[in-house]
Amino acid sequence: MAGMLALPKAASFSGAIPNGVASNWRQIMDRRQFLKYHMQGALYVAAGAAGFIWPSTSLAKDSPDVVIVEGDPAKATRAAVERLGGMKKFVKAGDRVVIKPNMSFAQPLEAGTNTHPQVVRTIAVMCREAGAKKVMVLDHPLHRESECVRLAGIQAACQGLDGIEVHMLTSQRLFANTKLPAAQEMLESEIAREVLRSEVLIAAPVAKSHADTGVSLGMKGMMGLVYDRHIMHRRYNLDNSIVDMCTKLKANLSVVDASRVLTSGGPAGPGDVLLADTVIASSDMVAADATTVALFPWYGKRKRPEEIEHLVLAHKRGLGRIDIDSLKVQKVKL
Amino acid sequence: MIWLRRLCQLVSLGGFIALLIASLNQLTLLIPENFFLRLDPLILLGVSISARSLALSYIPALLVIVSGLFLGRAFCGYVCPMGTTLEGGKFLVKAKGDKSALTKYSAWKYLLLILILCAALAGISLVFIASPISLITRLYTVIFIPLATFLGEIFLWAIQPLAEYFDWSGLIYLQVNPRYFATAAFVAAFFGTLLVLARISPRLWCRCLCPTGALLSLTSFKPLLRRRVSDACSECGKCQRSCPMQAIPENPRHTSHQECLLCLRCQKVCPEGAISYLGTATSRRAAISPYLPNRRQVVLAGTVGLATGLMSASGLAAVSKSTPVARRTSDALVRPPGALPEKEFLARCMRCAQCSVACPTNILQPTWLDLNLADMFSPSLDARLGPCDPRCTRCSSACPTGAIRELSKDERLWAKVGTAVIVPNKCLAWEHDKKCMICDEVCPFGAIEMIRVKDIPVPVPKVLENRCSGCGYCSHHCPIRPTPAIIVTAQGAQRLMTGSYIETGKRQGLSISLKKQAEPGALPVPSAPGKLPPTYGR
């Protein structure tokens, strides 16, 4: 996975921000490093333009960058992924897939703190249809595990589906200490072993507000695949360490469940829950988050992605794009 | 017939362990999880006296006392998991088997019984120092459960590569909830001592120290089922030497049934086949236990018991400065939800640790020397190990003596155990200007408010005391270690003997409820719900 992750940064950015240069806004580079980065960046761009690597760049010409679908959660999810080019674009036969929804609160669907079970189920089923060997739905619960399982309803929705499993990550043995080579602050982290042995990572967050980070979407949600989340609050700058984490936990596909949007009081609620019946999908997890931010009112106000610090940092560091006005967006109403 | 006794013992110990495991995993079996604790007549008597009320859940213990009339001390020899554990332990320590060693201390069990009952008269429950069932429940809880979960986790960790290779996700994601209990070192040392005693002489505990055995012996003077010796007896004395309880006096035709556990060893070793328990052989006169204490000893034991009770009640047995405060206000330790007022609670609690086993989050810990010598092992909440689930009533249903009131789910919610307090100079937001609101995020009651204050660039948490139930979610998840920046103190705990927690709480101005979910779509939004806002995608 690491190899796949490194490539799209340069390629999908059409050379505007070569690998890691713009991101080092705190670090001073020596000339040799600077040249090295630029050489690498230029190579990737050249290769990308020639179509050698990153086949999806050529596909991307036909399919949109971001899809916004309004409708029933299950149908909207399916439609959104289809419009992006279908699940086969992300999942190859025999792949292991990890889906990261929100299911860490012992609260019912109405609270808007957990992902809609039908969204998760649909993604999982589509992965299997695309030939995935195994689909693991994982989260690190904050409340009592059994209560989270019961109230989030995701396990119940995936019950009996062959090759699809829903598990809660609580034991430290399920995580492995992992170096984050592209990180700035948090140079290593204990990351779910299942992710490290999987080919595909799919973010399936519910759209919700967050008192610290503005919103909790695909990027912030990846904290559920990390063992020690508290250290990100305690030792590091939270926003920057989220980006550090996402350099490793970069979703290949992000499907944001905005069937309900917790527009205030997040991430735990209670807050204002907006019934939006919308699903946002993109192969760029930052763009999916940015689009979601612009789509709904947060804390009663309109926000632009530029106001969300971890999204801005992600853009600067080349993880994805928040310049949503220049993205190819497809809107569908079912 | 010894095999039958062994079978009974194994079934009983197996049942005891099975109930403990079921309790640990929140399973309800046909038999209540605290069944064995309810068999101990010492707990029945001691707690009834110290609490000045009859514990009705103790009817099984009454049956055990009555069983003395028919079966003698068969309970000790066939059922008691303490006896079985110590008997099994003797193989571990290779007991020398000097069966008559320390016989002169055989009266101590009666003295211990008198001491405990006299302390109970003073309102202090010392049952926990010697009730065999309380002790053995504590041993298995505090030592074996953490050991088992630790080894289980190591096992799963060790086979993880194999499990991943074969993709046995059932095994990979198998959860062993690790458990830790305070006081483990002391409990281990205590049982180590008992094992050493078992090495000196088997059944030394049952013979010399067990006050429940002493209590049971009071009704088993001449039970229906008892050792009978026929005229075939040649007085060879083999039975005398084999008796682990020293229940056969000089004349081997006699038996001190008050000491006899019906272990059947004498029957097995008798070369003449003169001993029977069911047969019709001539029943000789029963010998009164030769180990009854004399009057002077009884008075001494009673005085020591009363004095211990009075010392504890007066606070003279304090080992901590907070004890005198605690005596007045019940505010020293955070007790489980529904715990009676401190004095009543301690009078009933016999420190079996059954509530700690039943607790799904491990927050419920035996207390060590935090307060008073007589308060040792009583349960209190340590939020660092886990939060107290506001929907959970496991501890109260596990408690056999009613020290923790059984509450309905609604009442439970209002059974406030304490109040969270922020330690501002440790808090990431208050002191270090870092964005952290985990306490607010995890609080099930909405009792944390994030406020803006002057000179601090980030929102800071504030506890709404009338909404806080003291569950400790905030403290448990606080990133500051080892002592969190938000801690739960017993301040404001609701400790009611009778009456409704909801009514009392409301009268005091509390407003406790789980975070409510807002009505979906209630937010006034610029565009109709579901419509894309006009600012999007120009």
Side-chain angles (χ1 to χ4, degrees):
Chain A
M1 213 169 83
M4 277 180 71
L5 288 183
L7 301 180
K9 272 185 217 159
S12 61
F13 260 79
S14 50
I17 304 176
N19 197 9
V21 172
S23 64
N24 288 316
W25 51 286
R26 285 190 176 170
Q27 228 169 284
I28 298 168
M29 242 181 215
D30 62 27
R31 189 189 299 148
R32 181 173 297 183
Q33 267 179 321
F34 182 81
L35 283 173
K36 221 164 116 185
Y37 269 104
H38 274 279
M39 288 293 280
Q40 277 179 358
L43 264 174
Y44 279 132
V45 175
F52 286 146
I53 55 168
W54 198 240
S56 66
T57 24
S58 51
L59 274 171
K61 277 171 197 145
D62 315 309
S63 53
D65 298 316
V66 181
V67 181
I68 302 167
V69 184
E70 241 188 288
D72 160 75
K75 286 179 189 146
T77 304
R78 184 167 282 273
V81 179
E82 297 294 349
R83 303 265 169 163
L84 274 184
M87 193 58 95
K88 280 213 160 74
K89 191 173 140 189
F90 307 100
V91 176
K92 305 279 167 290
D95 277 359
R96 295 180 69 91
V97 181
V98 169
I99 301 176
K100 163 63 185 70
N102 290 92
M103 50 179 184
S104 70
F105 288 97
Q107 290 163 353
L109 179 63
E110 293 72 41
T113 51
N114 293 325
T115 309
H116 197 297
Q118 287 307 319
V119 172
V120 182
R121 184 194 153 101
T122 308
I123 302 170
V125 168
M126 289 181 82
C127 290
R128 287 284 286 162
E129 288 166 359
K133 191 168 90 188
K134 202 149 193 183
V135 182
M136 306 295 272
V137 181
L138 306 175
D139 198 4
H140 187 168
L142 269 170
H143 288 169
R144 198 169 129 204
E145 186 197 336
S146 55
E147 287 295 292
C148 292
V149 168
R150 186 173 69 81
L151 289 163
I154 289 175
Q155 195 167 65
C158 297
Q159 200 72 49
L161 295 175
D162 182 47
I164 299 170
E165 294 178 24
V166 181
H167 292 291
M168 291 293 192
L169 303 166
T170 50
S171 172
Q172 193 167 8
R173 93 187 124 85
L174 301 175
F175 298 84
N177 204 20
T178 310
K179 293 249 181 300
L180 307 178
Q184 290 179 346
E185 287 189 52
M186 190 172 67
L187 300 179
E188 55 183 14
S189 179
E190 283 170 289
I191 287 178
R193 296 169 66 95
E194 191 68 51
V195 178
L196 301 174
R197 62 199 279 253
S198 296
E199 283 81 18
V200 183
L201 176 61
I202 298 177
V206 68
K208 58 178 173 177
S209 50
H210 194 285
D212 282 346
T213 54
V215 290
S216 173
L217 300 169
M219 287 187 66
K220 170 76 177 62
M222 285 302 160
M223 282 171 81
L225 295 175
V226 167
Y227 183 69
D228 187 1
R229 297 169 274 191
H230 291 160
I231 203 168
M232 299 173 68
H233 290 269
R234 189 174 60 222
R235 187 180 295 168
Y236 308 116
N237 172 305
L238 180 60
D239 294 301
N240 206 31
S241 59
I242 288 174
V243 182
D244 282 347
M245 169 184 70
C246 288
T247 57
K248 187 79 187 174
L249 292 173
K250 187 180 174 189
N252 305 65
L253 166 68
S254 189
V255 181
V256 182
D257 163 32
S259 57
R260 279 179 174 73
V261 185
L262 182 65
T263 59
S264 67
D272 300 305
V273 179
L274 176 68
L275 281 176
D277 272 333
T278 305
V279 168
I280 301 100
S282 174
S283 57
D284 176 346
M285 76 190 293
V286 184
D289 286 5
T291 308
T292 310
V293 168
L295 214 45
F296 304 103
W298 301 99
Y299 301 97
K301 278 181 249 160
R302 286 282 154 207
K303 276 197 193 299
R304 295 290 302 166
E306 292 80 14
E307 294 172 63
I308 308 294
E309 202 178 333
H310 68 273
L311 295 183
V312 175
L313 292 174
H315 180 96
K316 281 185 182 163
R317 292 172 60 178
L319 205 67
R321 297 172 64 171
I322 61 168
D323 52 338
I324 49 175
D325 295 338
S326 48
L327 290 177
K328 205 166 135 193
V329 179
Q330 196 178 91
K331 280 175 277 183
V332 185
K333 193 164 181 176
L334 294 180
Chain B
M1 290 299 274
I2 284 185
W3 64 269
L4 187 68
R5 191 175 71 88
R6 291 255 185 268
L7 187 69
C8 278
Q9 283 184 305
L10 285 178
V11 168
S12 172
L13 185 64
F16 172 77
I17 293 171
L19 284 180
L20 216 54
I21 293 173
S23 181
L24 185 69
N25 292 297
Q26 284 93 52
L27 302 172
T28 335
L29 301 184
L30 213 57
I31 305 170
E33 56 200 324
N34 53 26
F35 174 74
F36 278 87
L37 288 157
R38 284 155 63 172
L39 287 179
D40 189 341
L42 177 68
I43 301 176
L44 165 73
L45 201 60
V47 169
S48 297
I49 294 175
S50 59
R52 317 278 192 262
S53 78
L54 201 63
L56 280 177
S57 59
Y58 270 82
I59 288 171
L62 215 54
L63 294 180
V64 169
I65 291 216
V66 174
S67 82
L69 295 173
F70 304 96
L71 304 168
R73 280 179 69 182
F75 173 78
C76 305
Y78 290 71
V79 180
C80 177
M82 176 78 154
T84 310
T85 304
L86 287 176
E87 220 178 328
K90 85 181 178 201
F91 295 110
L92 208 71
V93 294
K94 294 196 188 110
K96 281 187 211 134
D98 178 2
K99 296 187 175 68
S100 61
L102 301 173
T103 298
K104 60 179 171 181
Y105 295 111
S106 289
W108 278 36
K109 57 178 176 290
Y110 297 102
L111 299 176
L112 210 48
L113 174 65
I114 291 162
L115 190 150
I116 290 171
L117 295 184
C118 283
L121 279 177
I124 296 296
S125 173
L126 289 185
V127 167
F128 72 94
I129 62 172
S131 152
I133 313 283
S134 169
L135 284 173
I136 200 69
T137 309
R138 210 183 310 149
L139 169 75
Y140 277 89
T141 301
V142 171
I143 305 290
F144 290 136
I145 289 176
L147 197 64
T149 58
F150 178 69
L151 293 177
E153 184 72 6
I154 286 197
F155 169 75
L156 289 174
W157 171 80
I159 58 161
Q160 183 143 317
L162 201 68
E164 280 182 359
Y165 181 78
F166 288 107
D167 210 12
W168 294 323
S169 41
L171 209 54
I172 297 173
Y173 289 96
L174 194 65
Q175 295 281 336
V176 180
N177 289 330
R179 297 297 170 105
Y180 307 96
F181 296 105
T183 72
F186 178 81
V187 174
F190 181 83
F191 275 88
T193 313
L194 285 189
L195 280 181
V196 169
L197 290 181
R199 184 181 156 88
I200 295 168
S201 168
R203 288 275 183 181
L204 194 88
W205 164 265
C206 311
R207 189 151 59 89
C208 298
L209 294 171
C210 180
T212 294
L215 198 54
L216 193 54
S217 82
L218 297 181
T219 57
S220 50
F221 175 65
K222 195 172 180 184
L224 221 56
L225 186 72
R226 62 179 185 270
R227 178 173 178 267
R228 296 155 200 261
V229 186
S230 76
D231 289 334
C233 172
S234 61
E235 301 195 7
C236 66
K238 267 195 171 172
C239 54
Q240 264 176 350
R241 289 188 294 278
S242 76
C243 180
M245 294 300 286
Q246 297 292 295
I248 303 170
E250 244 168 90
N251 180 351
R253 291 161 195 258
H254 290 181
T255 316
S256 166
H257 299 301
Q258 289 175 299
E259 302 292 325
C260 175
L261 304 182
L262 287 82
C263 75
L264 310 178
R265 273 200 194 82
C266 52
Q267 190 184 31
K268 196 182 165 197
V269 298
C270 180
E272 317 292 348
I275 298 168
S276 65
Y277 282 81
L278 292 164
T280 51
T282 331
S283 172
R284 297 282 169 169
R285 204 158 48 82
I288 290 187
S289 168
Y291 309 121
L292 292 179
N294 61 35
R295 198 187 312 160
R296 185 172 295 207
Q297 287 173 314
V298 170
V299 171
L300 184 67
T303 313
V304 170
L306 267 175
T308 312
L310 291 174
M311 273 181 72
S312 304
S314 66
L316 286 174
V319 286
S320 151
K321 275 181 268 179
S322 55
T323 310
V325 183
R327 286 278 159 234
R328 285 200 296 277
T329 63
S330 291
D331 268 1
L333 290 176
V334 183
R335 298 295 189 187
L340 299 183
E342 189 74 356
K343 187 167 159 284
E344 310 293 338
F345 172 73
L346 287 171
R348 282 168 180 78
C349 174
M350 42 81 184
R351 330 290 155 84
C352 55
Q354 185 74 46
C355 53
S356 298
V357 184
C359 175
T361 68
N362 205 202
I363 187 175
L364 211 44
Q365 292 286 318
T367 308
W368 184 220
L369 294 171
D370 294 28
L371 279 183
N372 193 317
L373 285 173
D375 300 341
M376 267 163 67
F377 301 115
S378 58
S380 62
L381 271 56
D382 187 339
R384 279 176 295 176
L385 284 159
C388 182
D389 192 316
R391 303 168 197 83
C392 170
T393 54
R394 291 280 297 138
C395 51
S396 61
S397 47
C399 180
T401 60
I404 309 172
R405 273 174 72 182
E406 270 213 86
L407 301 173
S408 69
K409 292 262 173 195
D410 292 337
E411 283 282 319
R412 156 70 185 90
L413 212 57
W414 285 72
K416 181 179 168 88
V417 298
T419 310
V421 179
I422 292 168
V423 188
N425 60 357
K426 296 188 83 177
C427 175
L428 287 177
W430 278 100
E431 179 71 19
H432 302 286
D433 295 354
K434 288 203 167 175
K435 287 179 179 177
C436 180
M437 37 131 294
I438 292 175
C439 49
D440 175 38
E441 189 173 319
V442 295
C443 177
F445 295 94
I448 306 269
E449 193 184 20
M450 297 304 288
I451 55 169
R452 286 273 179 190
V453 293
K454 219 179 134 216
D455 298 336
I456 299 181
V458 295
V460 290
K462 181 175 176 291
V463 177
L464 304 171
E465 287 176 20
N466 66 328
R467 297 194 60 83
C468 176
S469 90
C471 70
Y473 261 96
C474 51
S475 190
H476 179 62
H477 287 281
C478 178
I480 301 296
R481 298 276 122 169
T483 318
I486 183 163
I487 51 173
V488 179
T489 68
Q491 186 181 315
Q494 292 279 37
R495 307 282 292 272
L496 301 182
M497 196 66 199
T498 52
S500 159
Y501 284 86
I502 300 180
E503 282 168 23
T504 314
K506 281 185 178 163
R507 222 173 22 244
Q508 294 173 359
L510 298 183
S511 170
I512 295 176
S513 62
L514 292 176
K515 275 179 186 169
K516 276 194 225 66
Q517 276 81 50
E519 290 292 309
L523 180 74
V525 285
S527 57
K531 291 267 169 59
L532 299 186
T535 46
Y536 179 75
R538 280 155 291 163

